Amino acid sequence: NHLGPQQVSELQRLLNARGFGAGKVDGMIGADTRAGTREAQLRYGLPADGYPTVALLEKLRTGR
């Protein structure tokens, strides 16, 4: 369930676009990306551990 740098960049773009501030789109998981990830996980009913997963990426892609 590990995301590569391109997937992390996509995750960051989608988090930012959907209002879950992920900070700079740089393909690296820093504090801002973790915080945005936690917010999105809560919204989408996933475990809010701040670790981005493929499941979260899919939900961000579809918006549900």
Side-chain angles (χ1 to χ4, degrees):
N1 235 353
H2 195 71
L3 300 183
Q6 286 181 319
Q7 288 173 306
V8 172
S9 290
E10 180 185 1
L11 176 93
Q12 290 168 325
R13 278 194 299 277
L14 289 168
L15 284 170
N16 285 334
R18 298 201 184 283
F20 303 109
K24 193 166 104 182
V25 176
D26 58 7
M28 297 169 55
I29 300 169
D32 290 340
T33 300
R34 288 215 188 277
T37 295
R38 264 190 296 278
E39 283 181 49
Q41 287 168 326
L42 285 169
R43 168 88 50 90
Y44 294 119
L46 297 168
D49 58 9
Y51 289 91
T53 61
V54 172
L56 177 61
L57 189 53
E58 291 295 329
K59 289 186 179 291
L60 286 166
R61 285 174 178 155
T62 63
R64 347 187 188 115

